[in-house]
């Protein structure tokens, strides 16, 4: 969906739905020269923001929010989310600008109940100032119990250990730390001792999981194969449904030798029967497109040897079906 937000009264818009618990905003765009909006809701518990405009500011004031998912959206400011327990923040094309202080996630609230945080930030171009912003963000997650970071972020911190070498670890409640690579085609990197101390020194019993490039590649291959199998089943079902509906349409085109009202009854029944598979087909189309994008994203992450084999399988899966998909 693509919401078009026309003024800064969105706070009133969202709060008007008193029973709203789960809100998702994707591919939002602003009109009228405005540069942001507010999400204010007393009862909202789950919020997802994906693929937002580059220069749109979002202020979040949701005191009951439990789950927050942010993907590819800059300039988000958490004003009041004291009950947040799960945070997933993903920005794979972060580009640091020296004159911008609010491009990464901003917090003006203590996250004292934070159980899980998954922070994935990958840079277009590595710059010194970006590391400082990462450290500031991590410090604000000091209450987290389970933390997941991407290895590329850790690599960037390891190149700027002067920012953390004299600071105590902020993670006194940490029980689990997982570090994994986003892109398995990049050269291997290791975590410096300074970064390891910064992340672990305040939690001696923490369980550290380092996912290697090889393991991540195997996991991506398995995920791609599973999605392809699921896609094949869905495409076969859709083809069968299309062929069945074609037969029904041909049968319904037979001439009707009856009175006018009988013809109208037949026509109404025909369109009623046709509406159900149309709605189902629309839902299946959205699911297929979503799966195609997910598979494409996984294939981009794979090393050449795995990529070539799965690309061939992927192409073979789609080629015979192009005529009836279109």
């Amino acid at each position: 969906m693509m919401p078009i937000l026309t003024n800064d009264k969105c706070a009133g818009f969202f709060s008007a739905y008193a029973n709203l618990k789960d809100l998702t905003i994707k591919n939002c765009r602003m009109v009228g020269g405005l540069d942001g909006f507010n999400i204010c809701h007393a009862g909202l518990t789950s919020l997802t923001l994906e693929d937002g405009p580059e220069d749109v500011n979002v202020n979040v004031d949701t005191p009951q929010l439990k789950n927050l998912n942010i993907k590819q959206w800059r300039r988000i400011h958490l004003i009041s989310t004291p009950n947040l327990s799960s945070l997933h923040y993903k920005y794979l094309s972060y580009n640091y600008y020296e004159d911008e202080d609010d491009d990464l996630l901003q917090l003006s609230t203590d996250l004292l109940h934070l159980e899980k945080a998954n922070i994935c930030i990958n840079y277009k171009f590595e710059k010194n100032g970006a590391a400082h912003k990462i450290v500031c963000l991590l410090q604000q997650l000091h209450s987290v119990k389970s933390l997941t970071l991407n290895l590329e972020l850790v690599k960037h911190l390891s190149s700027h250990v002067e920012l953390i070498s004299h600071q105590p670890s902020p993670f006194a409640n940490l029980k689990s730390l997982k570090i994994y690579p986003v892109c398995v085609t990049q050269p291997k990197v290791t975590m410096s001792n300074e970064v390891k101390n910064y992340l672990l020194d305040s939690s001696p019993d923490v369980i550290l999981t380092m996912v290697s490039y090889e393991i991540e590649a195997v996991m991506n291959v398995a995920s791609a194969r599973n999605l392809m199998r699921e896609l094949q089943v869905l495409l076969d079902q859709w083809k069968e449904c299309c062929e069945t509906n074609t037969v029904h349409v041909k049968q319904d085109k037979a001439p009707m030798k009856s009175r006018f009202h009988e013809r109208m009854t037949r026509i109404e029944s025909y369109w009623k029967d046709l509406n159900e598979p149309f709605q189902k087909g629309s839902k299946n189309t959205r699911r297929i497109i979503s799966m195609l994008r997910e598979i494409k994203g996984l294939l981009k992450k794979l090393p050449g040897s795995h990529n070539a084999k799965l690309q061939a399988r992927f192409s073979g899966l789609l080629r015979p079906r192009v005529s009836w998909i279109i």
Side-chain angles (χ1 to χ4, degrees):
M1 59 182 174
M2 183 179 289
I4 302 176
L5 305 174
T6 57
N7 55 52
D8 59 358
K9 296 181 180 179
C10 292
F13 172 78
F14 294 124
S15 60
Y17 297 89
N19 296 324
L20 183 65
K21 298 296 183 183
D22 191 337
L23 174 64
T24 297
I25 302 177
K26 295 183 180 181
N27 299 313
C28 165
R29 64 186 179 93
M30 301 291 291
V31 297
L34 298 169
D35 61 355
F37 62 94
N38 302 321
I39 299 176
C40 301
H41 197 286
L44 193 68
T45 59
S46 182
L47 174 62
T48 298
L49 301 171
E50 291 188 15
D51 301 317
E54 282 287 310
D55 299 319
V56 170
N57 298 288
V58 181
N59 298 313
V60 180
D61 186 355
T62 50
Q64 298 303 318
L65 193 68
K66 302 289 186 182
N67 303 302
L68 176 60
N69 296 287
I70 303 171
K71 181 179 179 181
Q72 298 299 110
W73 198 317
R74 304 168 72 230
R75 298 177 176 274
I76 294 178
H77 184 190
L78 303 187
I79 296 176
S80 177
T81 56
N83 291 300
L84 192 68
S85 61
S86 176
L87 170 64
H88 193 154
Y89 183 79
K90 189 173 187 178
Y91 207 98
L92 295 180
S93 55
Y94 174 59
N95 196 4
Y96 168 76
Y97 295 99
E98 188 173 352
D99 58 343
E100 293 186 1
D101 295 327
D102 56 354
D103 51 348
L104 278 185
L105 180 65
Q106 302 291 305
L107 291 88
S108 296
T109 181
D110 287 330
L111 304 180
L112 300 179
H113 302 285
L114 192 62
E115 295 283 335
K116 298 184 296 182
N118 188 330
I119 308 298
C120 178
I121 301 174
N122 207 16
Y123 302 88
K124 285 184 177 180
F125 308 101
E126 293 193 10
K127 297 181 181 179
N128 294 340
H132 176 71
K133 292 187 176 183
I134 296 297
V135 172
C136 291
L137 176 59
L138 292 177
Q139 288 175 339
Q140 292 179 294
L141 307 179
H142 57 85
S143 297
V144 70
K145 295 180 180 179
S146 176
L147 178 62
T148 300
L149 302 173
N150 62 302
L151 190 55
E152 292 79 5
L153 182 153
V154 172
K155 172 191 174 184
H156 190 64
L157 289 180
S158 296
S159 301
H160 302 279
V161 295
E162 70 279 0
L163 296 174
I164 58 176
S165 57
H166 300 294
Q167 293 192 34
S169 173
F171 303 109
N173 299 326
L174 195 63
K175 303 297 182 184
S176 171
L177 174 63
K178 178 181 178 181
I179 298 175
Y180 71 99
V182 171
C183 183
V184 298
T185 61
Q186 297 297 318
K188 294 182 180 180
V189 297
T190 56
M191 180 168 54
S192 68
N193 289 330
E194 290 84 355
V195 173
K196 184 179 293 186
N197 293 337
Y198 177 75
L199 295 174
L200 301 177
D201 267 6
S202 293
S203 305
D205 298 326
V206 66
I207 298 174
L208 173 62
T209 303
M210 294 283 292
V211 179
S212 69
Y213 286 94
E214 292 79 8
I215 293 176
E216 186 73 8
V218 170
M219 293 170 62
N220 287 336
V221 168
S223 297
R225 285 175 175 168
N226 289 336
L227 280 171
M228 287 184 190
R229 282 194 290 267
E230 185 180 348
L231 178 61
Q232 183 168 5
V233 171
L234 193 58
L235 290 173
D236 289 341
Q237 291 175 346
W238 193 14
K239 181 180 180 181
E240 182 180 351
C241 180
C242 289
E243 292 173 346
T244 302
N245 290 337
T246 300
V247 172
H248 288 166
V249 169
K250 290 180 179 179
Q251 291 175 348
D252 286 335
K253 286 184 178 179
M256 294 181 292
K257 298 180 180 180
S258 58
R259 289 174 295 184
F260 176 77
H261 73 276
E262 293 176 343
R263 292 192 179 191
M264 291 302 299
T265 301
R266 182 77 179 273
I267 291 173
E268 290 174 359
S269 176
Y270 167 72
W271 284 111
K272 182 179 179 181
D273 293 341
L274 192 63
N275 186 50
E276 182 177 350
F278 174 79
Q279 292 179 343
K280 184 177 180 181
S282 178
K283 182 179 180 180
N284 286 342
T285 301
R286 290 194 298 270
R287 174 60 180 151
I288 288 172
I289 292 174
S290 175
M291 293 176 69
L292 290 173
R293 289 174 177 170
E294 191 171 353
I295 293 171
K296 183 179 179 181
L298 287 171
L299 292 179
K300 285 183 178 180
K301 297 178 181 179
L302 296 179
S305 57
H306 293 295
N307 188 294
K309 294 178 182 178
L310 288 178
Q311 281 282 9
R313 179 179 175 183
F314 187 47
S315 300
L317 181 65
L318 294 179
R319 192 176 297 114
R321 297 170 169 82
V322 169
S323 59
W324 54 265
I325 290 178
I326 297 174

